[in-house]
Coordinates of all heavy atoms in Angstrom, one line a residue:
T4 N -2.5 -8.6 -33.6 CA -3.4 -7.6 -33.2 C -4.7 -7.8 -34.1 O -5.7 -7.2 -33.7 CB -2.8 -6.2 -33.5 OG1 -2.2 -6.2 -34.8 CG2 -1.5 -5.9 -32.5
W18 N 4.7 -15.3 -12.5 CA 6.1 -15.5 -12.1 C 7.0 -15.0 -13.2 O 8.0 -14.3 -13.0 CB 6.4 -16.8 -11.6 CG 5.7 -17.4 -10.5 CD1 4.6 -18.3 -10.6 CD2 5.6 -16.8 -9.1 NE1 4.1 -18.5 -9.3 CE2 4.6 -17.5 -8.6 CE3 6.5 -15.9 -8.5 CZ2 4.4 -17.4 -7.1 CZ3 6.0 -15.6 -7.2 CH2 5.1 -16.4 -6.5
W32 N 14.5 -2.6 -6.5 CA 14.2 -2.1 -5.1 C 12.9 -1.3 -5.0 O 12.2 -1.4 -4.0 CB 15.5 -1.1 -4.8 CG 16.7 -1.8 -4.4 CD1 17.9 -1.8 -5.2 CD2 16.9 -2.8 -3.4 NE1 18.7 -2.7 -4.7 CE2 18.3 -3.2 -3.6 CE3 16.2 -3.2 -2.3 CZ2 18.8 -4.2 -2.7 CZ3 16.7 -4.1 -1.4 CH2 18.0 -4.6 -1.5
F38 N 6.0 -3.8 -2.9 CA 5.5 -5.1 -2.3 C 5.2 -4.9 -0.8 O 4.2 -5.2 -0.3 CB 6.4 -6.2 -2.6 CG 6.1 -7.5 -1.8 CD1 5.2 -8.2 -2.3 CD2 6.9 -7.8 -0.7 CE1 4.7 -9.4 -1.7 CE2 6.5 -9.0 0.0 CZ 5.5 -9.9 -0.5
S72 N -14.7 10.5 4.1 CA -13.6 11.5 4.1 C -12.3 11.1 3.5 O -11.6 11.9 2.8 CB -13.3 11.7 5.6 OG -14.4 12.0 6.3
A114 N -4.2 5.3 18.8 CA -5.6 5.8 18.8 C -6.5 5.4 19.9 O -7.7 5.7 20.1 CB -6.3 5.5 17.5
W119 N -10.8 10.3 17.3 CA -10.6 11.3 16.3 C -9.3 11.2 15.6 O -9.2 11.8 14.5 CB -10.8 12.6 17.0 CG -12.4 12.8 17.4 CD1 -12.8 12.8 18.7 CD2 -13.3 13.2 16.6 NE1 -14.1 12.9 18.7 CE2 -14.6 13.1 17.5 CE3 -13.5 13.3 15.2 CZ2 -15.9 13.4 16.8 CZ3 -14.9 13.5 14.6 CH2 -16.0 13.5 15.5
I120 N -8.3 10.7 16.2 CA -7.0 10.5 15.6 C -7.2 9.7 14.3 O -6.5 10.1 13.3 CB -6.0 9.7 16.6 CG1 -5.8 10.6 17.8 CG2 -4.8 9.4 15.7 CD1 -4.7 9.8 18.8
D150 N 10.4 -3.0 -25.3 CA 9.6 -4.1 -25.7 C 9.2 -4.9 -24.4 O 8.4 -5.8 -24.5 CB 10.5 -5.2 -26.3 CG 11.9 -5.5 -25.4 OD1 12.2 -4.6 -24.6 OD2 12.3 -6.6 -25.6
G153 N 4.7 -3.3 -22.2 CA 3.5 -3.9 -22.1 C 3.2 -4.9 -21.1 O 2.1 -5.2 -20.7
Q156 N 2.3 -3.6 -16.3 CA 1.1 -3.8 -15.5 C 0.8 -5.1 -14.8 O 0.5 -5.5 -13.8 CB -0.1 -3.3 -16.2 CG -1.3 -3.1 -15.3 CD -1.2 -2.0 -14.2 OE1 -0.6 -0.9 -14.4 NE2 -1.3 -2.5 -13.0
G157 N 1.1 -6.1 -15.7 CA 0.9 -7.6 -15.4 C 2.0 -8.0 -14.3 O 1.5 -8.6 -13.3
Q163 N 1.4 -7.2 -6.5 CA 0.4 -6.7 -5.6 C -0.6 -7.9 -5.1 O -0.9 -7.9 -3.9 CB -0.5 -5.7 -6.4 CG 0.3 -4.4 -6.5 CD -0.7 -3.4 -7.2 OE1 -1.3 -3.7 -8.3 NE2 -1.0 -2.2 -6.6
T175 N -4.7 -10.8 10.0 CA -5.9 -11.5 10.4 C -5.5 -12.4 11.5 O -6.3 -12.5 12.6 CB -6.8 -12.3 9.4 OG1 -7.2 -11.2 8.4 CG2 -8.0 -12.9 9.9
L176 N -4.6 -13.1 11.3 CA -4.1 -14.1 12.3 C -3.6 -13.4 13.5 O -4.0 -13.8 14.7 CB -2.9 -15.0 11.8 CG -3.3 -16.1 10.6 CD1 -2.1 -16.6 10.2 CD2 -4.3 -17.1 11.3
I177 N -2.8 -12.4 13.4 CA -2.3 -11.6 14.6 C -3.5 -11.0 15.4 O -3.5 -11.0 16.6 CB -1.4 -10.5 14.1 CG1 0.0 -11.1 13.5 CG2 -1.0 -9.6 15.3 CD1 0.8 -10.1 12.8
E184 N -10.8 -13.9 24.1 CA -11.3 -13.6 25.3 C -10.4 -14.2 26.5 O -10.1 -13.6 27.5 CB -12.7 -14.0 25.6 CG -13.6 -13.1 24.9 CD -15.1 -13.6 25.1 OE1 -15.3 -14.5 26.0 OE2 -16.0 -13.0 24.5
S205 N 9.4 -0.5 3.5 CA 9.1 0.2 2.3 C 9.9 1.5 2.2 O 10.5 1.9 1.2 CB 7.6 0.4 2.0 OG 7.5 1.1 0.8

Side-chain angles (χ1 to χ4, degrees):
T4 55
W18 300 109
W32 291 112
F38 173 77
S72 302
W119 291 104
I120 294 178
D150 62 331
Q156 190 57 54
Q163 284 185 308
T175 300
L176 290 174
I177 294 174
E184 291 185 4
S205 177

